[in-house]
Amino acid sequence: MFDNASVAAALSEVRDRIGRAGGGSDVAILPVTKSFGPEAIAAVRLAGCDAVGENYVQEVLAKADALSGVRLHFIGRLQTNKVRQLAGRVTLFETVDRARLVDEIARRDPGARVLLQVDTVGLAGKGGCPLGDVDALLESALGAGLQVAGLMTVGPTDGGPEAARNGFRAVRRAVDRLGLSVCSMGMSSDLEVAVAEGSTQVRIGTALFGARVVRTTT
């Protein structure tokens, strides 16, 4: 069982970290509740959050009751054959990275709101399209009737927070060039760099809930 007061205090500390990095209240905090039970969702709702991020389709389905009334962001690698299970449940698909996925979301959830995931560091298994392919993917998504709110990226797993800076900067420039509004980048370990480079949303799990159980399911 989560200590609701501790989660609220952790959320406040994340907000303070954003402020010290030069961000304001316009930088959204997306609590990442993957591998945690419904009590984690309840705790962040009590702390004032109305959206959460989930990575696994099976968890979304298992936690359907707890997610009722919450804006759900899907932030995991998404297989096309799983889209139908998420249709109508997801407020924002954050990991759209290929034309086949665009087509399947448009077919199963017409007009869905999405982010295009950009891979700036070649992270194996993390998904994302190369930065040079973003324009074509954007054209495809808009042509399919999807609402493209912005771009999303994941920083490198090695090299410390500074290793993410150049990639974050490039994604922010692409957001501006394309006239988009959302720039989802930065997690518990590198949020300061992300905010300094113009992130509008940080995805936070460990800093709110502590270490999570490693999963391999999708």
Side-chain angles (χ1 to χ4, degrees), residues 7-75:
V7 172
L11 187 65
S12 179
E13 172 57 25
V14 170
R15 178 58 66 192
D16 288 345
R17 287 174 63 186
I18 291 171
R20 292 193 295 269
S25 59
D26 56 327
V27 178
I29 299 171
L30 181 71
V32 177
T33 50
K34 71 173 184 180
S35 80
F36 294 109
E39 64 272 15
I41 299 169
V44 292
R45 292 187 76 175
L46 283 172
C49 295
D50 64 355
V52 299
E54 286 282 346
N55 288 59
Y56 306 115
V57 175
Q58 289 177 344
E59 285 199 40
V60 169
L61 301 178
K63 293 186 273 190
D65 289 343
L67 290 167
S68 178
V70 178
R71 292 187 298 115
L72 173 61
H73 293 213
F74 192 80
I75 60 174

Side-chain angles (χ1 to χ4, degrees), residues 92-210:
L92 182 64
F93 291 91
E94 291 206 17
T95 53
V96 177
D97 61 356
R98 56 201 187 279
R100 281 190 60 207
L101 184 55
V102 163
D103 293 342
E104 186 66 10
I105 292 174
R107 184 165 77 95
R108 299 288 186 177
D109 201 348
R113 191 165 179 260
V114 305
L115 302 184
L116 306 182
Q117 183 180 356
V118 181
D119 177 14
T120 60
V121 291
L123 288 171
K126 295 293 186 180
C129 71
L131 194 57
D133 293 345
V134 167
D135 291 59
L137 187 60
L138 174 62
E139 183 178 356
S140 175
L142 294 175
L146 299 181
Q147 302 177 57
V148 182
L151 305 181
M152 176 268 213
T153 195
V154 179
T157 55
D158 298 320
E162 279 299 320
R165 188 176 296 277
N166 288 341
F168 287 168
R169 184 174 297 169
V171 171
R172 178 68 234 196
R173 286 174 177 168
V175 167
D176 294 339
R177 178 178 61 80
L178 296 170
L180 303 173
S181 59
V182 177
C183 185
S184 175
M185 57 189 192
M187 297 186 288
S188 295
S189 62
D190 57 14
L191 73 86
E192 284 84 359
V193 173
V195 169
E197 295 301 334
S199 177
T200 65
Q201 176 190 271
V202 291
R203 306 178 303 274
I204 307 297
T206 303
L208 295 180
F209 308 117

